[in-house]
């Protein structure tokens, strides 16, 4: 076996049974990985420098192919209603298949951290068969310093072999694709998919399991910081605008997707960003757009002209969920530490395909916990395998149910306590539809969303006249300078008011039905925050 690279660890791959390998490329730098990806025909270089790759049939996460191994130490801690179980014997057989597959192959290794806070970070090793996958995780996670390299000892290992197909009969999987997490073995096995997002979300899943017992809140969110040092948390699923809205030129970006919240403040889990590229606008998202012209950025399923090597970000023929992965320092106003103080504001983003929710609303702490546990949004085409062209209304608890191993009330109680302790203002922001439901109305203008967010984060909205929403009970601004007052009241944007009332009643019923499973786990104040079937407003 040949070993090439930098900072080769004394903790070798043989300790996880990867033996008889051809060549192991260890912690290669960005430029070398780009060169190797091109030489190995894994991708092509676009006109202005990014590496462009295709992920095949998997252009989003395979949510139905993810498993947690049902092991004695985790049995009573995992929320099995939400997580698929894999038997230990099936995982052992799957690991043997990975070990056999690896023999006589070249592998790439990256030793990285998940978590910018030294107290809570996770040393994780990622082993891949593709050079571009190694570049992807190097972009997305946090590279150790020279001193940390000398002491690096991985706590978890993630192995990603897209060429390995699982056998449902032998491995207990649903298909040839598998993402299997063993908390006892400290291993994640990913097979049958080239979609690189599975690796980063596996790190998130591990941290979501490890941190709550330490009273640290793991969050599917973006974070930015204002000029006076106050931070803001943006919760939301893919497609709701976390990355776009947190990349604000007037504020410092801490991170765009995954963070922890402890008694000392908030910290990024990652060292990079994973942004949606489809129809990216240089006017609306200039900072993110600029990363598409940087050497080292990895562009997944972005259409490229073979002759000119120019990108077409508007072409969704390969995927609606085209993505860009780049180091966070590619964003000009990004934090160099990944750390921030206690937040002043929490923003819960939702893409309401019903066109019922207002563009912004202020939540009480009880309402914040209710909406956090509800996690209402519309899944946008392409973010998961099997979604069609139309958004699908969904309730993803904690705005990240696919990545939550524990029961959601563990996360909800942590959030409630932190909100109360630090007196955080909470907002619900609808980036979905206005003037009608999907198919009739239009997507909320991003300029309106940005203006309302700015008013919330700088304190302006707290001094604004509010009305009480008749269904949801939260406070909605009546007028905001520079914003058409009509858009603040969704019912007034609909031509058919009776149709709006019917949609509102339907959505309220969905909320109440979904929350039934949480009622036994929350206090009376949170149950009272549920929306009500109010009479239609005249």
């Amino acid at each position: 076996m040949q070993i090439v690279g930098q900072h080769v660890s004394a903790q070798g791959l043989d300790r996880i049974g990867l033996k008889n390998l051809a060549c192991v490329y260890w912690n290669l730098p960005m430029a070398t990985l780009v060169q190797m990806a091109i030489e190995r025909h894994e991708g092509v270089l676009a006109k202005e420098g990014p590496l462009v790759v295709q992920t095949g049939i998997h252009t989003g996460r395979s949510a139905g192919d993810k498993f947690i191994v049902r092991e004695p130490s985790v049995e009573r801690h995992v929320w099995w209603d939400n997580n698929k179980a894999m038997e230990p014997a099936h995982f052992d057989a799957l690991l043997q298949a990975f070990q056999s597959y690896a023999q006589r192959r070249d592998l790439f290794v990256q030793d990285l951290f998940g978590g910018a806070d030294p107290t809570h970070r996770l040393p994780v090793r990622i082993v891949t068969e593709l050079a571009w996958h190694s570049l992807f995780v190097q972009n997305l996670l946090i590279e150790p310093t020279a001193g940390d390299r000398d002491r690096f000892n991985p706590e978890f290992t993630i192995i990603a072999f897209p060429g390995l197909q699982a056998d449902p009969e032998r491995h207990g999987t649903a298909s040839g694709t598998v993402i299997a997490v063993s908390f006892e073995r400290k291993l994640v096995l990913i097979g049958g998919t080239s979609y690189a997002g599975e690796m980063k979300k596996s790190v998130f899943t591990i941290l979501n399991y490890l941190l709550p017992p330490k009273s640290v809140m793991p969050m599917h969110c973006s974070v930015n910081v204002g000029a006076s040092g106050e931070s803001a948390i943006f919760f939301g699923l893919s497609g709701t605008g976390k990355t776009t809205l947190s990349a604000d030129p007037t504020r410092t970006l801490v991170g765009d997707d995954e963070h922890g919240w402890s008694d000392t403040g908030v910290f990024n889990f990652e060292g990079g960003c994973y942004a949606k590229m489809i129809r990216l606008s240089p006017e609306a998202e200039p900072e993110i757009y600029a990363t598409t012209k940087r050497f080292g950025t990895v562009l997944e399923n972005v259409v490229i002209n073979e002759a000119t090597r120019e990108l077409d970000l508007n072409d969704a023929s390969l995927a609606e969920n085209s993505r860009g992965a780049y180091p966070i320092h590619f964003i000009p106003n990004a934090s160099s530490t990944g750390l921030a103080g206690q937040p002043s504001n929490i923003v819960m983003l939702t893409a309401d395909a019903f066109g019922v929710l207002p563009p912004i609303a202020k939540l009480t702490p009880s309402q914040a916990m209710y909406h956090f546990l509800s996690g209402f949004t519309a899944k946008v085409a392409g973010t998961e395998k099997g979604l069609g062209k139309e958004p699908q209304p969904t309730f993803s608890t904690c705005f990240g149910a696919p990545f939550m191993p524990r029961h959601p009330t563990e996360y909800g109680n942590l959030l409630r306590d932190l909100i109360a302790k630090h007196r955080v203002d909470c907002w619900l922001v609808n980036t979905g539809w206005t003037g009608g439901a999907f198919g009739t109305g239009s997507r909320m203008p991003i300029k309106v969303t940005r203006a309302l967010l700015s008013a919330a984060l700088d304190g302006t909205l707290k001094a604004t006249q509010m009305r009480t929403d008749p269904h949801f009970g939260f406070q909605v601004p009546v007028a905001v300078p520079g914003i058409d007052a009509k858009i603040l009241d969704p019912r007034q944007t609909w031509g058919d008011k009776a149709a709006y009332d019917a949609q509102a009643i339907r959505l309220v019923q969905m909320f109440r039905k979904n929350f039934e499973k949480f009622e036994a786990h929350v206090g009376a104040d949170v149950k009272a925050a549920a929306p009500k079937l109010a009479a239609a407003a005249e």
Side-chain angles (χ1 to χ4, degrees), residues 194-246:
S194 295
Y195 180 67
E198 300 288 9
M199 294 183 289
K200 85 178 220 80
K201 288 306 183 187
S202 293
V203 176
F204 188 39
T205 298
I206 295 166
L207 288 166
N208 279 333
Y209 184 78
L210 297 179
L211 292 181
K214 301 177 183 179
S215 298
V216 178
M217 175 69 185
M219 303 176 294
H220 187 211
C221 70
S222 56
V223 173
N224 64 24
V225 181
S228 58
E230 80 289 353
S231 61
I233 293 171
F234 297 77
F235 286 109
L237 293 174
S238 296
T240 56
K242 287 196 319 302
T243 299
T244 297
L245 294 171
S246 57

Side-chain angles (χ1 to χ4, degrees), residues 303-314:
V303 173
I304 182 172
N305 185 304
E306 291 186 8
T308 65
R309 298 295 178 95
E310 293 177 327
L311 304 173
D312 185 350
L313 300 178
N314 295 314

